[in-house]
Amino acid sequence: MDQLNKYFKRSICSLFIITLFFTFFAQDTQAFSDQVIQRGATGDDVIELQARLQNYGYYHGTIDGVFGWNTYWAVRNFQHDFGLEVDGLVGDELKKKLEQYTHFDREYVYSHLEKGKDPDTYGPKKGPEGLPPPGQRDPGNLDERAQKEKQQKGRQREEGQVQRQPEREKAPAQPAPEGGAAPQETPQSAQRERNIGHVAPAVNIPAGFSENDIQLMANAVYGEARGEPYIGQVAIAAVIINRVNSAEFPNTVSGVIFEPRAFTAVADGQIWLQPDETSRRAVMDAINGWDPTGGLTHYYNPATATSQWMFNKQPVKRIGKHLFVR
Amino acid sequence: MLSRIIAVAGYAVLILALAGTAYWGYQEHQDKNSVLIKAENSYQRAFHDLNNDMANLEDELGKSIATNSRKLLAPCMANIWRIAYDAQSNIGQLPMNLTPFSKIETFLAQVGDYTYGIGMRNLETEPLTEAEWDELKKLHGQSKELQRELRKIQTKVLSDGLRWMDVEMAAAEENADMDKTLLDGMESIDKQVEGYIETEQGAEENKITSQSSDKTKLIEGAPVSEHEAAQKAKQFMGFGEKVKTEVVKNGEGNDFSSYSVSLKAAERENPVIVDVSKNGGHILWMLDSRDIEQSKIGLYEAQQKAEKFLEQRGMTSMAAVESDQYDNVGVFDFVYEQDGVRIYPEAVRVQVALDNGDLIGYEGLDYVINHDGHVDVPKPEISLEEAKEALNSNFQVMEDHLSMIETEPGEVKLCYELLGTIDQETFRIFVDAKTGTEEMIEKMKQAEPIV
């Protein structure tokens, strides 16, 4: 009885260790969340996706955590080569394939992301060496695959997990990647070489604007309309954009904002106050196309306005203290 | 007695004189301040405009290497010439004793001259040569790097609140401790450009989705009352009768008059604002400015929620054409799709909060104006293969659609929408499905690195 008990304890103990190991292991390799990843997304899933695609030679851009066009084409090429539906969506099946065939050195990538301005190569250094170009690959020959199988064997033995078994058996029968849609080799490979493997964080910015435009507009909105209702702040930002698009005003955000006598906050220096999150969000909404003014380019505060000609304009909308006029 | 009066008068005069001087001094100070702010503003403007020019220059040079159409190349060349010229003039407005930008000016002048020469010649009889294409491509690469460097300085200027006037004044006083960030940054850029010039010599935003249409165009439908507008807004948001409702009438007596409906639930801090057109009672836009928590759902799930939202409001057959995540918000573009053809003028844009998947923004003006249930879509007269043949041989088509786009105000054309790449850049080219000419070219945006 004692013996049995001891044996039982030991097995519990080893089971515990195995579970612990598996938990750790699972975190390491199955880091993708359950979410389907699509173009425009940002965050950790995208970083892993880009790193894995780069590791297998499909992605040559910067690992920046933003699912942009280059990532999109890389996903589609990968889907094409592996006989999956080519839709640019990263779902379970694609994630499994990526986990099976590619390697993701989380620590390495993240340490470089934190440094930010120290671009270094990821793919070529950490990726399998002596690979044929994408399109002529036989997944069976890869070091990773061997590695992966070893890991899987370990896991099956310890966990009795069969979940991954079918995947593994299916693997050899997979259509070998075909040529054609693989990332194109360019004559300017020198230039591309420089782009390989940059790890640097980035953000989505609406087309036609830069992060600095947004910053400058947030300054202007804060200077002009802090304390106003949210919609009123969006409206000020929209007026700036409407002016940029209007033939009567300068064609740039900075041109419109710094036009002499255009905004009181610029004339008295209040534009240089530190804007808050609300004004920034208002600017983003306006840039993304929300325009409470319906295309207007003028507004004034009836309580403080001094220019006579403003009063002759046709009032359209009042938001908070400001009267928006045509 | 007299001496006393004299003394008092003397004091009075003295005090008056003092007050006068103080006032005069204050005025002078104010004037000086105001002049300083004005000077600073014009420097800031020139500098930020220069940054814009460099971004546009890069964009246009990018387009020029992607297009194969003479119709689009000539305006492209003219644009580059114009932007290069404008950038030079902006450099000219910066305090020159501080900005060693002479090399950049030379580079810009060369870019301008080069593209002017190409733009002015008859591209029908004398198309772009291989060598010229290579040169444009090189210029594009260089302008891209230049833009990146300048943008870094711009970010520094904005984040650290650097003032040109401070730098200038410090320089005038020969202050050794002055902030060298601006100068050092610019000097290094200028050095970089030096390299370009030796090897040398041998934007406008095309928006095809919303914001393109005439916002004053008449919205059709019978006028609705304030009460009806409020009901429509509540219905759209799926709110019950309990929300606190306020309606404001905008633009009395105008064609574009609308109601702003403010809906505030008891437990909410901020109201949801819904603008409803007076004619027809259409929902023009909606914004909910509530705080958004940490993201819990992904962009894909959010898009499906948005699709469902639209479907429930009778907007079926909407195709998602664009999606972007900004922090905890997903922004999606949907266009009406008829028999697999994307009808771009009938677009809506929605915002979904990624914490719980609720819609927090809707913009449907273009849809309200342009959608009437049926579009006359002509049959394409050329095949997809024929459309591709017309393109630049360096352009690799990766994805294609059939789309109706507004090429000029009021003129909608059936086009092949071709997405593809040249090197690491993605472009979208619209080719007329009738004539095979390139109607529009767009360089797709890329993520902006965090500096």
Side-chain angles (χ1 to χ4, degrees):
Chain A
M1 192 60 198
D2 243 23
Q3 189 104 27
L4 199 70
N5 209 348
K6 209 169 165 188
Y7 180 75
F8 187 65
K9 260 186 190 158
R10 195 180 288 162
S11 63
I12 292 255
C13 202
S14 58
L15 197 74
F16 178 72
I17 289 168
I18 287 163
T19 318
L20 204 74
F21 173 77
F22 178 65
T23 319
F24 175 75
F25 193 67
Q27 270 171 358
D28 195 43
T29 56
Q30 291 191 304
F32 278 125
S33 75
D34 294 337
Q35 295 168 357
V36 175
I37 322 167
Q38 74 172 22
R39 198 176 69 234
T42 60
D44 292 340
D45 273 354
V46 181
I47 290 168
E48 179 168 355
L49 173 69
Q50 288 173 333
R52 285 187 183 278
L53 284 168
Q54 188 167 94
N55 178 245
Y56 215 57
Y58 280 85
Y59 179 66
H60 305 291
T62 306
I63 297 174
D64 59 8
V66 178
F67 196 143
W69 288 97
N70 285 335
T71 316
Y72 180 69
W73 302 131
V75 167
R76 286 174 65 106
N77 283 336
F78 190 92
Q79 286 174 325
H80 175 268
D81 281 6
F82 282 82
L84 302 170
E85 190 193 344
V86 181
D87 58 6
L89 293 173
V90 182
D92 286 346
E93 205 178 348
L94 183 51
K95 282 181 204 161
K96 263 186 208 157
K97 288 266 190 296
L98 281 166
E99 278 162 7
Q100 192 177 355
Y101 288 103
T102 67
H103 174 73
F104 176 47
D105 190 341
R106 171 179 302 274
E107 235 169 83
Y108 179 86
V109 169
Y110 275 81
S111 70
H112 280 76
L113 270 175
E114 272 157 31
K115 275 190 237 156
K117 55 181 178 234
D118 178 24
D120 205 342
T121 47
Y122 176 66
K125 256 189 201 166
K126 302 276 159 181
E129 274 169 35
L131 258 186
Q136 299 151 33
R137 287 183 182 174
D138 175 7
N141 285 343
L142 292 168
D143 298 349
E144 252 103 61
R145 187 167 146 66
Q147 239 178 44
K148 211 85 200 174
E149 274 190 301
K150 212 162 58 188
Q151 289 163 357
Q152 272 169 11
K153 257 183 214 153
R155 188 185 306 175
Q156 278 155 24
R157 196 178 54 229
E158 286 159 11
E159 279 288 309
Q161 265 259 16
V162 278
Q163 196 203 338
R164 292 203 132 220
Q165 179 97 19
E167 247 326 293
R168 206 170 63 85
E169 289 198 330
K170 238 189 333 185
Q174 260 156 28
E178 316 147 24
Q184 63 277 29
E185 294 297 318
T186 64
Q188 291 260 324
S189 60
Q191 198 193 331
R192 212 200 57 194
E193 212 67 55
R194 250 185 307 145
N195 290 335
I196 283 185
H198 281 194
V199 182
V203 284
N204 271 326
I205 296 291
F209 292 87
S210 70
E211 170 61 30
N212 289 326
D213 286 336
I214 294 168
Q215 184 63 35
L216 203 55
M217 281 176 73
N219 270 330
V221 167
Y222 187 73
E224 287 278 307
R226 61 181 178 282
E228 289 288 299
Y230 181 72
I231 296 295
Q233 300 191 28
V234 179
I236 303 289
V239 163
I240 295 173
I241 294 166
N242 292 338
R243 287 190 178 186
V244 172
N245 295 333
S246 156
E248 294 167 31
F249 291 92
N251 297 321
T252 60
V253 167
S254 43
V256 163
I257 289 178
F258 289 114
E259 195 175 21
R261 303 193 63 83
F263 295 98
T264 45
V266 176
D268 63 16
Q270 287 193 60
I271 184 174
W272 301 116
L273 297 172
Q274 183 62 36
D276 60 8
E277 272 304 305
T278 311
S279 43
R280 189 187 161 86
R281 184 169 164 194
V283 168
M284 286 302 281
D285 276 344
I287 284 179
N288 274 321
W290 273 261
D291 181 0
T293 74
L296 301 182
T297 50
H298 290 93
Y299 67 92
Y300 66 94
N301 181 344
T304 59
T306 47
S307 335
Q308 273 302 315
W309 64 273
M310 275 286 194
F311 298 118
N312 300 328
K313 294 204 158 233
Q314 194 181 15
V316 174
K317 195 171 205 171
R318 187 183 190 111
I319 308 172
K321 287 198 201 91
H322 291 126
L323 193 58
F324 294 83
V325 296
R326 180 171 296 272
Chain B
M1 189 62 195
L2 189 71
S3 64
R4 214 168 181 188
I5 292 172
I6 291 172
V8 169
Y11 273 122
V13 168
L14 202 67
I15 287 167
L16 268 176
L18 260 176
T21 318
Y23 179 71
W24 177 79
Y26 175 73
Q27 277 296 340
E28 282 293 291
H29 175 74
Q30 286 296 86
D31 286 353
K32 187 187 160 208
N33 252 355
S34 144
V35 169
L36 279 183
I37 288 177
K38 272 188 193 131
E40 177 63 31
N41 284 345
S42 71
Y43 287 158
Q44 290 278 348
R45 175 187 177 174
F47 177 66
H48 292 301
D49 276 356
L50 174 64
N51 269 278
N52 266 302
D53 284 334
M54 293 314 292
N56 289 338
L57 192 69
E58 193 259 323
D59 216 51
E60 288 292 328
L61 278 165
K63 282 185 199 170
S64 78
I65 57 174
T67 183
N68 202 27
S69 134
R70 280 136 214 168
K71 185 180 150 195
L72 292 181
L73 188 61
C76 219
M77 292 292 116
N79 265 340
I80 294 168
W81 171 69
R82 182 182 59 76
I83 295 165
Y85 182 83
D86 190 61
Q88 286 177 73
S89 112
N90 279 322
I91 290 179
Q93 288 171 49
L94 288 169
M96 217 45 225
N97 54 332
L98 302 178
T99 49
F101 264 6
S102 56
K103 298 289 190 312
I104 297 185
E105 277 196 280
T106 318
F107 172 74
L108 288 167
Q110 286 179 357
V111 171
D113 288 348
Y114 194 73
T115 51
Y116 184 81
I118 296 172
M120 286 302 120
R121 77 172 187 231
N122 187 346
L123 288 163
E124 289 295 336
T125 52
E126 250 185 289
L128 205 62
T129 66
E130 199 74 17
E132 283 170 330
W133 190 84
D134 287 342
E135 185 65 35
L136 284 174
K137 194 158 170 236
K138 200 169 75 194
L139 289 176
H140 174 240
Q142 292 168 342
S143 73
K144 193 170 183 162
E145 279 180 26
L146 204 55
Q147 189 226 347
R148 208 176 286 156
E149 291 302 313
L150 256 180
R151 187 154 276 176
K152 271 189 206 156
I153 299 186
Q154 191 190 19
T155 306
K156 185 104 180 106
V157 166
L158 282 171
S159 63
D160 296 0
L162 294 177
R163 301 278 170 279
W164 293 91
M165 289 306 290
D166 294 348
V167 181
E168 197 172 32
M169 279 157 95
E173 291 160 14
E174 290 182 14
N175 188 342
D177 302 331
M178 62 188 263
D179 191 339
K180 283 274 181 81
T181 330
L182 279 176
L183 301 192
D184 291 350
M186 295 194 187
E187 246 166 59
S188 82
I189 294 184
D190 212 48
K191 282 225 181 70
Q192 189 181 342
V193 178
E194 207 167 6
Y196 300 166
I197 298 168
E198 284 155 11
T199 60
E200 231 40 71
Q201 282 306 35
E204 303 320 278
E205 205 45 32
N206 280 328
K207 285 232 171 88
I208 57 135
T209 51
S210 55
Q211 287 114 41
S212 59
S213 58
D214 182 7
K215 292 197 194 258
T216 59
K217 212 157 122 184
L218 203 64
I219 296 169
E220 289 168 11
V224 297
S225 71
E226 283 183 28
H227 179 72
E228 286 171 303
Q231 287 310 110
K232 294 247 182 201
K234 267 186 251 180
Q235 236 171 41
F236 184 78
M237 292 307 296
F239 285 166
E241 283 302 313
K242 275 189 185 160
V243 288
K244 202 175 141 207
T245 311
E246 271 175 51
V247 185
V248 180
K249 205 168 177 182
N250 305 315
E252 183 74 65
N254 298 331
D255 297 337
F256 39 84
S257 51
S258 63
Y259 299 105
S260 288
V261 184
S262 151
L263 303 169
K264 190 174 169 300
E267 72 277 9
R268 297 280 301 275
E269 195 186 329
N270 297 316
V272 175
I273 309 288
V274 186
D275 260 31
V276 182
S277 70
K278 191 177 172 200
N279 290 347
H282 301 288
I283 306 295
L284 301 177
W285 57 263
M286 177 278 284
L287 260 183
D288 179 356
S289 58
R290 73 166 168 86
D291 288 337
I292 303 159
E293 314 284 317
Q294 195 65 34
S295 296
K296 287 205 188 67
I297 65 169
L299 213 51
Y300 179 76
E301 200 181 335
Q303 180 175 308
Q304 288 180 318
K305 297 217 176 206
E307 251 162 54
K308 204 170 156 210
F309 182 95
L310 295 177
E311 251 167 47
Q312 285 167 346
R313 279 144 191 88
M315 283 179 261
T316 48
S317 184
M318 300 297 283
V321 291
E322 201 58 73
S323 59
D324 279 300
Q325 183 176 350
Y326 303 105
D327 293 330
N328 299 333
V329 176
V331 177
F332 305 91
D333 280 340
F334 288 90
V335 299
Y336 181 63
E337 204 176 42
Q338 182 177 301
D339 307 323
V341 179
R342 296 168 160 191
I343 318 292
Y344 272 100
E346 300 180 17
V348 300
R349 187 173 276 184
V350 295
Q351 276 185 33
V352 178
L354 299 179
D355 55 355
N356 64 1
D358 280 353
L359 230 80
I360 53 163
Y362 169 86
E363 213 288 321
L365 185 62
D366 288 301
Y367 187 82
V368 168
I369 291 173
N370 296 317
H371 182 77
D372 57 5
H374 182 78
V375 192
D376 285 323
V377 180
K379 283 257 167 294
E381 289 178 25
I382 60 166
S383 70
L384 177 62
E385 289 314 310
E386 284 167 321
K388 282 184 188 169
E389 265 166 37
L391 300 175
N392 189 315
S393 55
N394 297 290
F395 181 72
Q396 190 173 1
V397 178
M398 313 279 272
E399 195 178 318
D400 59 83
H401 304 276
L402 265 176
S403 309
M404 298 282 284
I405 60 164
E406 197 167 6
T407 50
E408 266 153 64
E411 197 181 343
V412 181
K413 274 186 188 163
L414 179 70
C415 290
Y416 284 104
E417 177 184 353
L418 303 166
L419 282 148
T421 57
I422 294 180
D423 290 351
Q424 294 285 301
E425 304 277 7
T426 295
F427 296 87
R428 169 155 71 176
I429 302 180
F430 289 92
V431 177
D432 192 331
K434 191 174 168 187
T435 62
T437 53
E438 287 178 31
E439 283 295 333
M440 200 183 283
I441 177 165
E442 206 178 347
K443 186 160 152 288
M444 305 311 269
K445 65 165 178 141
Q446 287 188 327
E448 193 175 309
I450 298 169
V451 191

